[in-house]
Short mmCIF file of all heavy atoms in Angstrom, two decimals:
data_model
loop_
_atom_site.label_atom_id
_atom_site.label_comp_id
_atom_site.label_asym_id
_atom_site.label_seq_id
_atom_site.Cartn_x
_atom_site.Cartn_y
_atom_site.Cartn_z
N VAL S 1 263.63 -1.11 -98.37
CA VAL S 1 264.09 0.04 -99.26
C VAL S 1 263.73 1.29 -98.52
O VAL S 1 262.71 1.44 -97.96
CB VAL S 1 263.38 -0.04 -100.60
CG1 VAL S 1 263.73 1.08 -101.44
CG2 VAL S 1 263.65 -1.39 -101.25
N ALA S 2 264.74 2.23 -98.51
CA ALA S 2 264.55 3.49 -97.93
C ALA S 2 265.06 4.54 -98.87
O ALA S 2 265.98 4.36 -99.67
CB ALA S 2 265.33 3.75 -96.59
N TRP S 3 264.44 5.73 -98.84
CA TRP S 3 264.83 6.87 -99.78
C TRP S 3 265.08 8.07 -98.90
O TRP S 3 264.55 8.23 -97.91
CB TRP S 3 263.64 7.17 -100.70
CG TRP S 3 263.94 8.26 -101.65
CD1 TRP S 3 264.50 8.06 -102.88
CD2 TRP S 3 263.76 9.63 -101.46
NE1 TRP S 3 264.68 9.34 -103.50
CE2 TRP S 3 264.22 10.34 -102.58
CE3 TRP S 3 263.17 10.36 -100.52
CZ2 TRP S 3 264.14 11.65 -102.73
CZ3 TRP S 3 263.17 11.77 -100.59
CH2 TRP S 3 263.57 12.42 -101.74
N GLY S 4 266.04 8.87 -99.47
CA GLY S 4 266.32 10.19 -98.76
C GLY S 4 267.05 11.02 -99.78
O GLY S 4 267.57 10.61 -100.80
N GLU S 5 267.01 12.31 -99.48
CA GLU S 5 267.79 13.34 -100.30
C GLU S 5 269.22 12.96 -100.41
O GLU S 5 269.87 13.30 -101.40
CB GLU S 5 267.52 14.81 -99.82
CG GLU S 5 266.06 15.21 -100.00
CD GLU S 5 265.68 15.57 -101.42
OE1 GLU S 5 266.66 15.88 -102.31
OE2 GLU S 5 264.54 15.42 -101.77
N THR S 6 269.74 12.42 -99.32
CA THR S 6 271.17 12.08 -99.20
C THR S 6 271.29 10.60 -98.77
O THR S 6 270.33 10.01 -98.23
CB THR S 6 271.87 12.98 -98.27
OG1 THR S 6 271.35 12.68 -96.92
CG2 THR S 6 271.82 14.48 -98.55
N ARG S 7 272.39 9.99 -98.96
CA ARG S 7 272.68 8.73 -98.44
C ARG S 7 272.45 8.66 -96.91
O ARG S 7 271.79 7.75 -96.46
CB ARG S 7 274.04 8.22 -98.79
CG ARG S 7 274.41 6.85 -98.28
CD ARG S 7 275.92 6.58 -98.68
NE ARG S 7 276.29 5.18 -98.19
CZ ARG S 7 276.03 4.10 -98.93
NH1 ARG S 7 275.49 4.22 -100.11
NH2 ARG S 7 276.35 2.92 -98.41
N GLY S 8 272.92 9.65 -96.19
CA GLY S 8 272.78 9.66 -94.72
C GLY S 8 271.39 9.59 -94.35
O GLY S 8 270.86 8.97 -93.44
N GLU S 9 270.54 10.50 -95.05
CA GLU S 9 269.07 10.57 -94.76
C GLU S 9 268.44 9.21 -95.01
O GLU S 9 267.53 8.73 -94.19
CB GLU S 9 268.44 11.67 -95.57
CG GLU S 9 266.96 11.83 -95.25
CD GLU S 9 266.34 12.91 -96.07
OE1 GLU S 9 266.95 14.04 -96.26
OE2 GLU S 9 265.13 12.77 -96.44
N ALA S 10 268.73 8.63 -96.16
CA ALA S 10 268.16 7.32 -96.47
C ALA S 10 268.52 6.24 -95.42
O ALA S 10 267.75 5.47 -94.96
CB ALA S 10 268.55 6.86 -97.88
N LEU S 11 269.82 6.23 -95.04
CA LEU S 11 270.29 5.32 -93.97
C LEU S 11 269.66 5.51 -92.64
O LEU S 11 269.34 4.62 -91.84
CB LEU S 11 271.76 5.29 -93.87
CG LEU S 11 272.54 4.78 -95.08
CD1 LEU S 11 274.00 5.05 -95.01
CD2 LEU S 11 272.17 3.25 -95.27
N ASP S 12 269.51 6.79 -92.34
CA ASP S 12 268.70 7.09 -91.02
C ASP S 12 267.26 6.62 -91.11
O ASP S 12 266.81 6.03 -90.08
CB ASP S 12 268.71 8.53 -90.82
CG ASP S 12 270.07 9.22 -90.38
OD1 ASP S 12 270.96 8.40 -90.09
OD2 ASP S 12 270.24 10.43 -90.46
N ARG S 13 266.68 6.74 -92.23
CA ARG S 13 265.26 6.19 -92.36
C ARG S 13 265.26 4.71 -92.20
O ARG S 13 264.39 4.10 -91.66
CB ARG S 13 264.68 6.67 -93.66
CG ARG S 13 264.33 8.15 -93.67
CD ARG S 13 263.68 8.54 -94.95
NE ARG S 13 263.29 9.90 -94.93
CZ ARG S 13 262.72 10.54 -95.90
NH1 ARG S 13 262.54 9.95 -97.02
NH2 ARG S 13 262.40 11.89 -95.84
N MET S 14 266.25 4.06 -92.84
CA MET S 14 266.41 2.61 -92.81
C MET S 14 266.61 2.12 -91.40
O MET S 14 265.99 1.19 -90.90
CB MET S 14 267.45 2.08 -93.74
CG MET S 14 267.63 0.56 -93.70
SD MET S 14 266.14 -0.31 -94.21
CE MET S 14 266.24 -0.03 -95.95
N ALA S 15 267.46 2.80 -90.72
CA ALA S 15 267.79 2.46 -89.33
C ALA S 15 266.55 2.55 -88.45
O ALA S 15 266.28 1.69 -87.62
CB ALA S 15 268.90 3.26 -88.78
N GLY S 16 265.77 3.65 -88.64
CA GLY S 16 264.54 3.81 -87.97
C GLY S 16 263.46 2.78 -88.24
O GLY S 16 262.89 2.27 -87.32
N ALA S 17 263.37 2.44 -89.51
CA ALA S 17 262.46 1.41 -89.91
C ALA S 17 262.82 0.09 -89.31
O ALA S 17 261.96 -0.70 -88.77
CB ALA S 17 262.40 1.27 -91.43
N LEU S 18 264.04 -0.29 -89.26
CA LEU S 18 264.59 -1.52 -88.63
C LEU S 18 264.33 -1.59 -87.13
O LEU S 18 263.98 -2.58 -86.56
CB LEU S 18 266.02 -1.76 -89.02
CG LEU S 18 266.34 -2.08 -90.43
CD1 LEU S 18 267.89 -1.96 -90.67
CD2 LEU S 18 265.89 -3.54 -90.67
N LEU S 19 264.52 -0.40 -86.53
CA LEU S 19 264.29 -0.31 -85.04
C LEU S 19 262.85 -0.56 -84.78
O LEU S 19 262.50 -1.15 -83.77
CB LEU S 19 264.68 1.17 -84.62
CG LEU S 19 264.57 1.33 -83.07
CD1 LEU S 19 265.48 0.40 -82.35
CD2 LEU S 19 264.92 2.81 -82.71
N ARG S 20 261.93 0.02 -85.65
CA ARG S 20 260.43 -0.25 -85.38
C ARG S 20 259.98 -1.52 -85.89
O ARG S 20 258.81 -1.89 -85.50
CB ARG S 20 259.73 0.87 -86.11
CG ARG S 20 259.95 2.32 -85.50
CD ARG S 20 259.08 3.42 -86.14
NE ARG S 20 259.24 3.43 -87.56
CZ ARG S 20 260.19 4.14 -88.19
NH1 ARG S 20 261.11 4.78 -87.54
NH2 ARG S 20 260.19 4.16 -89.55
N THR S 21 260.72 -2.30 -86.56
CA THR S 21 260.23 -3.54 -87.12
C THR S 21 260.20 -4.69 -86.10
O THR S 21 261.08 -4.81 -85.32
CB THR S 21 261.17 -4.04 -88.27
OG1 THR S 21 261.13 -3.17 -89.33
CG2 THR S 21 260.71 -5.40 -88.80
N ARG S 22 259.02 -5.29 -85.98
CA ARG S 22 258.86 -6.47 -85.08
C ARG S 22 258.50 -7.68 -85.85
O ARG S 22 257.59 -7.58 -86.72
CB ARG S 22 257.87 -6.11 -84.02
CG ARG S 22 258.01 -4.94 -83.19
CD ARG S 22 259.24 -5.24 -82.24
NE ARG S 22 259.45 -4.06 -81.34
CZ ARG S 22 260.52 -3.17 -81.53
NH1 ARG S 22 261.37 -3.37 -82.48
NH2 ARG S 22 260.66 -2.24 -80.69
N VAL S 23 259.18 -8.78 -85.59
CA VAL S 23 258.90 -10.02 -86.23
C VAL S 23 258.72 -11.00 -85.19
O VAL S 23 259.67 -11.18 -84.33
CB VAL S 23 260.03 -10.37 -87.28
CG1 VAL S 23 259.62 -11.73 -87.93
CG2 VAL S 23 260.24 -9.35 -88.35
N ALA S 24 257.67 -11.74 -85.22
CA ALA S 24 257.40 -12.80 -84.12
C ALA S 24 257.46 -14.17 -84.76
O ALA S 24 256.99 -14.43 -85.93
CB ALA S 24 256.07 -12.62 -83.55
N GLY S 25 258.05 -15.09 -84.02
CA GLY S 25 258.05 -16.43 -84.37
C GLY S 25 259.09 -16.97 -85.21
O GLY S 25 259.26 -18.21 -85.38
N VAL S 26 260.00 -16.12 -85.81
CA VAL S 26 261.12 -16.59 -86.57
C VAL S 26 262.41 -15.79 -86.16
O VAL S 26 262.28 -14.66 -85.69
CB VAL S 26 260.90 -16.32 -88.08
CG1 VAL S 26 259.76 -17.23 -88.56
CG2 VAL S 26 260.58 -14.91 -88.43
N THR S 27 263.56 -16.40 -86.42
CA THR S 27 264.78 -15.71 -86.16
C THR S 27 265.09 -14.70 -87.36
O THR S 27 264.87 -15.08 -88.53
CB THR S 27 265.91 -16.75 -86.09
OG1 THR S 27 265.65 -17.63 -85.03
CG2 THR S 27 267.25 -16.07 -85.79
N THR S 28 265.54 -13.55 -87.06
CA THR S 28 265.85 -12.58 -88.09
C THR S 28 267.30 -12.07 -87.94
O THR S 28 267.91 -12.39 -86.94
CB THR S 28 264.87 -11.32 -87.99
OG1 THR S 28 265.32 -10.55 -86.89
CG2 THR S 28 263.48 -11.71 -87.90
N ASN S 29 267.70 -11.32 -88.96
CA ASN S 29 269.03 -10.68 -88.85
C ASN S 29 268.90 -9.18 -88.72
O ASN S 29 269.74 -8.43 -89.10
CB ASN S 29 269.88 -11.04 -90.11
CG ASN S 29 269.32 -10.51 -91.37
OD1 ASN S 29 268.16 -10.07 -91.47
ND2 ASN S 29 270.15 -10.46 -92.43
N ARG S 30 267.77 -8.77 -88.17
CA ARG S 30 267.51 -7.40 -87.95
C ARG S 30 268.59 -6.55 -87.26
O ARG S 30 269.03 -5.58 -87.65
CB ARG S 30 266.14 -7.17 -87.25
CG ARG S 30 265.77 -5.78 -87.03
CD ARG S 30 264.48 -5.64 -86.19
NE ARG S 30 264.75 -5.99 -84.80
CZ ARG S 30 264.59 -5.04 -83.81
NH1 ARG S 30 264.10 -3.94 -84.01
NH2 ARG S 30 264.91 -5.51 -82.62
N GLU S 31 269.17 -7.14 -86.14
CA GLU S 31 270.25 -6.38 -85.52
C GLU S 31 271.52 -6.33 -86.32
O GLU S 31 272.12 -5.29 -86.22
CB GLU S 31 270.47 -7.13 -84.15
CG GLU S 31 269.36 -7.05 -83.15
CD GLU S 31 268.90 -5.60 -82.87
OE1 GLU S 31 269.79 -4.68 -82.70
OE2 GLU S 31 267.67 -5.40 -82.78
N LEU S 32 271.80 -7.34 -87.09
CA LEU S 32 272.92 -7.21 -87.98
C LEU S 32 272.65 -6.08 -89.05
O LEU S 32 273.56 -5.27 -89.22
CB LEU S 32 273.14 -8.55 -88.74
CG LEU S 32 274.22 -8.46 -89.90
CD1 LEU S 32 275.53 -8.08 -89.32
CD2 LEU S 32 274.22 -9.83 -90.59
N LEU S 33 271.55 -6.03 -89.58
CA LEU S 33 271.15 -4.93 -90.57
C LEU S 33 271.29 -3.63 -89.89
O LEU S 33 271.72 -2.65 -90.53
CB LEU S 33 269.78 -5.15 -91.20
CG LEU S 33 269.63 -6.47 -91.99
CD1 LEU S 33 268.23 -6.64 -92.42
CD2 LEU S 33 270.56 -6.44 -93.17
N ARG S 34 270.76 -3.47 -88.68
CA ARG S 34 270.86 -2.22 -87.98
C ARG S 34 272.37 -1.80 -87.70
O ARG S 34 272.73 -0.65 -87.85
CB ARG S 34 270.19 -2.26 -86.59
CG ARG S 34 268.69 -2.31 -86.72
CD ARG S 34 267.98 -2.32 -85.32
NE ARG S 34 268.29 -1.05 -84.70
CZ ARG S 34 268.58 -0.94 -83.41
NH1 ARG S 34 268.56 -2.02 -82.65
NH2 ARG S 34 268.88 0.30 -82.91
N ALA S 35 273.20 -2.81 -87.34
CA ALA S 35 274.56 -2.46 -87.17
C ALA S 35 275.25 -2.04 -88.49
O ALA S 35 276.13 -1.11 -88.52
CB ALA S 35 275.30 -3.70 -86.62
N VAL S 36 274.89 -2.76 -89.57
CA VAL S 36 275.48 -2.40 -90.88
C VAL S 36 275.17 -0.93 -91.31
O VAL S 36 275.96 -0.16 -91.67
CB VAL S 36 274.97 -3.43 -91.98
CG1 VAL S 36 275.38 -2.90 -93.38
CG2 VAL S 36 275.74 -4.73 -91.71
N VAL S 37 273.88 -0.59 -91.17
CA VAL S 37 273.44 0.80 -91.71
C VAL S 37 273.99 1.88 -90.73
O VAL S 37 274.02 3.07 -91.09
CB VAL S 37 271.93 0.93 -91.86
CG1 VAL S 37 271.38 -0.09 -92.91
CG2 VAL S 37 271.17 0.81 -90.66
N ARG S 38 274.35 1.50 -89.50
CA ARG S 38 274.97 2.48 -88.62
C ARG S 38 276.56 2.56 -88.68
O ARG S 38 277.15 3.48 -88.22
CB ARG S 38 274.58 2.19 -87.18
CG ARG S 38 273.11 2.36 -86.84
CD ARG S 38 272.74 2.24 -85.46
NE ARG S 38 273.50 1.08 -84.87
CZ ARG S 38 272.88 0.09 -84.25
NH1 ARG S 38 271.59 0.04 -84.05
NH2 ARG S 38 273.54 -0.86 -83.70
N HIS S 39 277.15 1.62 -89.38
CA HIS S 39 278.59 1.56 -89.46
C HIS S 39 279.16 2.70 -90.33
O HIS S 39 278.68 2.97 -91.40
CB HIS S 39 279.07 0.20 -90.12
CG HIS S 39 280.50 -0.04 -89.90
ND1 HIS S 39 281.43 0.54 -90.76
CD2 HIS S 39 281.22 -0.80 -89.02
CE1 HIS S 39 282.65 0.21 -90.36
NE2 HIS S 39 282.47 -0.64 -89.36
N PRO S 40 280.21 3.45 -89.81
CA PRO S 40 280.74 4.60 -90.55
C PRO S 40 281.18 4.31 -91.93
O PRO S 40 280.93 5.09 -92.81
CB PRO S 40 281.94 5.04 -89.68
CG PRO S 40 281.65 4.46 -88.31
CD PRO S 40 280.87 3.29 -88.58
N ALA S 41 281.80 3.12 -92.18
CA ALA S 41 282.23 2.91 -93.60
C ALA S 41 281.10 2.66 -94.48
O ALA S 41 281.09 3.07 -95.66
CB ALA S 41 283.18 1.60 -93.62
N PHE S 42 280.05 2.03 -93.97
CA PHE S 42 278.80 1.76 -94.80
C PHE S 42 278.12 3.09 -95.12
O PHE S 42 277.69 3.35 -96.23
CB PHE S 42 277.84 0.81 -94.13
CG PHE S 42 276.73 0.36 -95.00
CD1 PHE S 42 276.87 -0.70 -95.87
CD2 PHE S 42 275.55 0.98 -95.01
CE1 PHE S 42 275.80 -1.11 -96.73
CE2 PHE S 42 274.43 0.62 -95.83
CZ PHE S 42 274.66 -0.43 -96.67
N ARG S 43 278.00 3.94 -94.04
CA ARG S 43 277.38 5.22 -94.19
C ARG S 43 278.19 6.10 -95.29
O ARG S 43 277.51 6.90 -95.95
CB ARG S 43 277.27 5.95 -92.89
CG ARG S 43 276.26 5.21 -91.91
CD ARG S 43 275.99 6.00 -90.69
NE ARG S 43 275.30 7.21 -90.94
CZ ARG S 43 273.99 7.36 -91.08
NH1 ARG S 43 273.22 6.29 -91.06
NH2 ARG S 43 273.49 8.49 -91.31
N ALA S 44 279.51 5.95 -95.27
CA ALA S 44 280.26 6.79 -96.25
C ALA S 44 280.28 6.14 -97.61
O ALA S 44 280.77 6.77 -98.54
CB ALA S 44 281.75 6.80 -95.72
N GLY S 45 279.74 4.95 -97.79
CA GLY S 45 279.76 4.34 -99.07
C GLY S 45 281.07 3.61 -99.45
O GLY S 45 281.37 3.37 -100.53
N ALA S 46 281.85 3.52 -98.42
CA ALA S 46 283.20 2.97 -98.52
C ALA S 46 283.20 1.44 -98.27
O ALA S 46 283.91 0.99 -97.31
CB ALA S 46 284.18 3.71 -97.65
N THR S 47 282.42 0.68 -99.06
CA THR S 47 282.36 -0.72 -98.84
C THR S 47 282.75 -1.47 -100.07
O THR S 47 282.74 -0.97 -101.04
CB THR S 47 280.92 -1.12 -98.39
OG1 THR S 47 280.04 -0.81 -99.46
CG2 THR S 47 280.51 -0.47 -97.04
N THR S 48 283.05 -2.76 -99.74
CA THR S 48 283.47 -3.64 -100.87
C THR S 48 282.70 -4.93 -100.57
O THR S 48 282.02 -5.07 -99.54
CB THR S 48 284.95 -3.98 -100.83
OG1 THR S 48 285.29 -4.71 -99.63
CG2 THR S 48 285.81 -2.64 -100.85
N PRO S 49 282.76 -5.92 -101.51
CA PRO S 49 282.14 -7.17 -101.22
C PRO S 49 282.64 -7.84 -100.00
O PRO S 49 282.02 -8.69 -99.45
CB PRO S 49 282.46 -8.01 -102.43
CG PRO S 49 282.58 -6.99 -103.60
CD PRO S 49 283.21 -5.85 -102.92
N ALA S 50 283.80 -7.37 -99.40
CA ALA S 50 284.47 -8.11 -98.29
C ALA S 50 283.99 -7.34 -97.00
O ALA S 50 284.41 -7.66 -95.96
CB ALA S 50 285.97 -8.02 -98.39
N PHE S 51 283.12 -6.38 -97.08
CA PHE S 51 282.65 -5.64 -95.89
C PHE S 51 282.20 -6.54 -94.77
O PHE S 51 282.71 -6.45 -93.66
CB PHE S 51 281.54 -4.61 -96.30
CG PHE S 51 280.93 -3.86 -95.15
CD1 PHE S 51 281.64 -2.68 -94.65
CD2 PHE S 51 279.83 -4.25 -94.53
CE1 PHE S 51 281.19 -2.00 -93.63
CE2 PHE S 51 279.37 -3.50 -93.44
CZ PHE S 51 279.95 -2.44 -92.96
N LEU S 52 281.27 -7.43 -95.04
CA LEU S 52 280.77 -8.27 -93.97
C LEU S 52 281.83 -9.25 -93.44
O LEU S 52 281.90 -9.43 -92.29
CB LEU S 52 279.51 -9.05 -94.39
CG LEU S 52 278.31 -8.28 -94.39
CD1 LEU S 52 277.16 -9.11 -94.91
CD2 LEU S 52 277.91 -7.73 -93.00
N ASP S 53 282.62 -9.84 -94.36
CA ASP S 53 283.66 -10.68 -93.94
C ASP S 53 284.63 -9.93 -92.92
O ASP S 53 285.08 -10.49 -91.91
CB ASP S 53 284.58 -11.12 -95.11
CG ASP S 53 283.82 -12.19 -95.93
OD1 ASP S 53 282.88 -12.79 -95.43
OD2 ASP S 53 284.17 -12.36 -97.17
N ARG S 54 284.91 -8.64 -93.14
CA ARG S 54 285.80 -7.83 -92.37
C ARG S 54 285.19 -7.49 -91.08
O ARG S 54 285.78 -7.45 -90.08
CB ARG S 54 286.24 -6.68 -93.17
CG ARG S 54 287.32 -5.82 -92.54
CD ARG S 54 287.87 -4.80 -93.36
NE ARG S 54 287.90 -5.33 -94.73
CZ ARG S 54 287.73 -4.64 -95.83
NH1 ARG S 54 287.59 -3.34 -95.80
NH2 ARG S 54 287.74 -5.16 -97.00
N HIS S 55 283.85 -7.16 -91.07
CA HIS S 55 283.19 -6.50 -89.91
C HIS S 55 282.36 -7.44 -89.15
O HIS S 55 281.92 -7.09 -88.04
CB HIS S 55 282.52 -5.22 -90.30
CG HIS S 55 283.42 -4.21 -90.84
ND1 HIS S 55 284.26 -3.48 -90.13
CD2 HIS S 55 283.60 -3.80 -92.18
CE1 HIS S 55 284.97 -2.65 -90.89
NE2 HIS S 55 284.60 -2.78 -92.12
N LEU S 56 281.95 -8.62 -89.66
CA LEU S 56 281.06 -9.45 -88.90
C LEU S 56 281.47 -9.81 -87.54
O LEU S 56 280.68 -9.81 -86.61
CB LEU S 56 280.75 -10.76 -89.87
CG LEU S 56 279.67 -11.61 -89.31
CD1 LEU S 56 278.32 -10.89 -89.21
CD2 LEU S 56 279.50 -12.84 -90.17
N PRO S 57 282.83 -10.15 -87.34
CA PRO S 57 283.18 -10.49 -86.00
C PRO S 57 282.83 -9.38 -84.96
O PRO S 57 282.38 -9.59 -83.86
CB PRO S 57 284.68 -10.72 -86.09
CG PRO S 57 284.84 -11.16 -87.46
CD PRO S 57 283.85 -10.38 -88.26
N ALA S 58 283.07 -8.13 -85.32
CA ALA S 58 282.77 -7.03 -84.45
C ALA S 58 281.25 -6.95 -84.31
O ALA S 58 280.77 -6.56 -83.19
CB ALA S 58 283.30 -5.72 -85.01
N PHE S 59 280.43 -7.16 -85.31
CA PHE S 59 279.00 -7.06 -85.12
C PHE S 59 278.53 -8.17 -84.20
O PHE S 59 277.69 -7.95 -83.37
CB PHE S 59 278.39 -7.20 -86.53
CG PHE S 59 278.59 -6.03 -87.50
CD1 PHE S 59 278.61 -6.30 -88.86
CD2 PHE S 59 278.74 -4.74 -87.06
CE1 PHE S 59 278.75 -5.23 -89.75
CE2 PHE S 59 278.96 -3.69 -87.89
CZ PHE S 59 278.92 -3.94 -89.25
N GLN S 60 279.10 -9.34 -84.30
CA GLN S 60 278.76 -10.43 -83.50
C GLN S 60 279.12 -10.24 -82.07
O GLN S 60 278.52 -10.77 -81.09
CB GLN S 60 279.28 -11.77 -84.00
CG GLN S 60 278.66 -12.21 -85.33
CD GLN S 60 279.30 -13.41 -85.98
OE1 GLN S 60 280.55 -13.55 -85.89
NE2 GLN S 60 278.54 -14.18 -86.56
N ALA S 61 280.22 -9.50 -81.86
CA ALA S 61 280.64 -9.32 -80.44
C ALA S 61 279.89 -8.16 -79.80
O ALA S 61 280.09 -7.89 -78.59
CB ALA S 61 282.16 -9.00 -80.51
N ALA S 62 279.04 -7.37 -80.55
CA ALA S 62 278.41 -6.32 -79.97
C ALA S 62 277.49 -6.72 -78.92
O ALA S 62 276.97 -7.90 -78.79
CB ALA S 62 277.63 -5.53 -81.12
N GLU S 63 276.96 -5.79 -78.17
CA GLU S 63 276.02 -6.09 -77.02
C GLU S 63 274.75 -6.76 -77.46
O GLU S 63 274.30 -7.71 -76.90
CB GLU S 63 275.75 -4.90 -76.24
CG GLU S 63 274.89 -5.02 -75.04
CD GLU S 63 274.61 -3.74 -74.29
OE1 GLU S 63 274.99 -2.72 -74.82
OE2 GLU S 63 274.12 -3.85 -73.20
N ASP S 64 274.17 -6.27 -78.62
CA ASP S 64 272.92 -6.81 -79.15
C ASP S 64 273.32 -8.11 -79.95
O ASP S 64 274.22 -8.07 -80.72
CB ASP S 64 272.30 -5.82 -80.09
CG ASP S 64 271.75 -4.60 -79.39
OD1 ASP S 64 271.43 -4.80 -78.18
OD2 ASP S 64 271.71 -3.59 -79.95
N PRO S 65 272.50 -9.19 -79.87
CA PRO S 65 272.83 -10.33 -80.57
C PRO S 65 272.41 -10.08 -82.03
O PRO S 65 271.61 -9.24 -82.37
CB PRO S 65 271.84 -11.37 -79.92
CG PRO S 65 270.78 -10.53 -79.33
CD PRO S 65 271.36 -9.32 -78.91
N VAL S 66 273.13 -10.75 -82.98
CA VAL S 66 272.91 -10.62 -84.45
C VAL S 66 271.56 -11.19 -84.77
O VAL S 66 270.77 -10.65 -85.50
CB VAL S 66 274.05 -11.37 -85.25
CG1 VAL S 66 273.66 -11.39 -86.69
CG2 VAL S 66 275.41 -10.61 -85.01
N ALA S 67 271.25 -12.39 -84.24
CA ALA S 67 269.87 -12.97 -84.50
C ALA S 67 269.02 -12.77 -83.29
O ALA S 67 269.44 -13.10 -82.19
CB ALA S 67 270.08 -14.41 -84.85
N VAL S 68 267.79 -12.26 -83.56
CA VAL S 68 266.85 -12.08 -82.43
C VAL S 68 265.53 -12.72 -82.86
O VAL S 68 265.26 -12.92 -84.01
CB VAL S 68 266.64 -10.56 -82.14
CG1 VAL S 68 267.89 -9.93 -81.62
CG2 VAL S 68 266.10 -9.82 -83.37
N ARG S 69 264.66 -13.03 -81.85
CA ARG S 69 263.35 -13.55 -82.13
C ARG S 69 262.34 -12.39 -81.95
O ARG S 69 262.60 -11.50 -81.25
CB ARG S 69 263.05 -14.64 -81.17
CG ARG S 69 263.84 -15.91 -81.60
CD ARG S 69 263.20 -17.07 -80.93
NE ARG S 69 263.80 -18.22 -81.46
CZ ARG S 69 263.39 -18.99 -82.45
NH1 ARG S 69 262.30 -18.72 -83.11
NH2 ARG S 69 264.07 -20.01 -82.81
#
């Protein structure tokens, strides 16, 4: 959970928190979450329940893997 005076500020805080998060021993979806909070449509609040269905292939094709250890 992140808070900010604006949506953008809250998302920036969330992105920073995700960047600093370290999890050892299990697979996470941290990189996927980082990609989502940086996506322009998500940042603008222009999402629907189909957001991940529509954008997941691009997230998976990104340089960073979706699942990291």
Side-chain angles (χ1 to χ4, degrees):
V1 176
W3 181 90
E5 291 288 333
T6 65
R7 179 181 181 86
E9 183 180 322
L11 290 171
D12 289 344
R13 287 181 178 179
M14 177 61 72
L18 288 165
L19 184 62
R20 293 185 303 275
T21 298
R22 299 291 181 255
V23 179
V26 297
T27 301
T28 73
N29 66 343
R30 182 182 73 119
E31 294 304 317
L32 172 62
L33 297 174
R34 287 185 64 220
V36 168
V37 299
R38 293 186 317 235
H39 192 280
F42 189 86
R43 293 188 66 84
T47 59
T48 69
F51 177 82
L52 280 179
D53 290 337
R54 187 170 325 148
H55 297 288
L56 188 59
F59 293 148
Q60 290 174 324
E63 185 176 8
D64 293 330
V66 170
V68 296
R69 287 198 173 263

